[in-house]
Amino acid sequence: MNGKLVVRIAELEIDPAQLEPYQALLAEEIEASVALEPGVLSLNAVSIKDSPNSIRILEVYANRTAYEAHLLTPHFLKYKNATAGMVTSLTLLDVDPIAMRAKP
């Protein structure tokens, strides 16, 4: 399984009173992950229109090893610890890619 992409969708609900600090921490974590981890192929965060505290993150990792390594990085652990009281709900969905393309 090490050679197969790991693709996940994270569905998060954020305490509306803490949305701005949460978004800042998320942006910092995504920036560091993509810049510092070769196995993090992409991280894309969006909010549901008219429900800004409903966040969705599409995560793409080179393989299971890259995903597991990501969970142990200092920047991810900082994000996880700092946002623990901000996240009111978290659902992680493993998904199978059908068609994924991006321009460089």
Side-chain angles (χ1 to χ4, degrees):
M1 181 158 191
N2 266 354
K4 185 178 179 187
L5 286 180
V6 172
V7 184
R8 303 186 95 191
I9 295 175
E11 299 179 336
L12 300 99
E13 297 297 322
I14 308 304
D15 173 3
Q18 300 185 69
L19 185 58
E20 283 189 44
Y22 173 81
Q23 289 176 334
L25 288 162
L26 177 61
E28 178 183 305
E29 196 281 326
I30 286 175
E31 187 67 32
S33 296
V34 172
L36 300 173
E37 298 178 65
V40 175
L41 303 183
S42 69
L43 295 171
N44 297 284
V46 297
S47 63
I48 304 297
K49 196 169 285 290
D50 298 325
S51 183
N53 60 308
S54 296
I55 307 289
R56 302 298 181 262
I57 305 169
L58 177 63
E59 308 174 26
V60 183
Y61 303 92
N63 52 42
R64 178 67 51 191
T65 300
Y67 171 70
E68 291 171 0
H70 168 71
L71 298 178
L72 301 175
T73 61
H75 48 272
F76 179 76
L77 294 172
K78 175 187 173 187
Y79 158 81
K80 206 58 177 160
N81 291 325
T83 62
M86 301 175 181
V87 177
T88 60
S89 173
L90 170 63
T91 302
L92 298 172
L93 304 169
D94 288 314
V95 298
D96 290 322
I98 296 171
M100 297 173 48
R101 297 291 176 265
K103 292 188 180 202

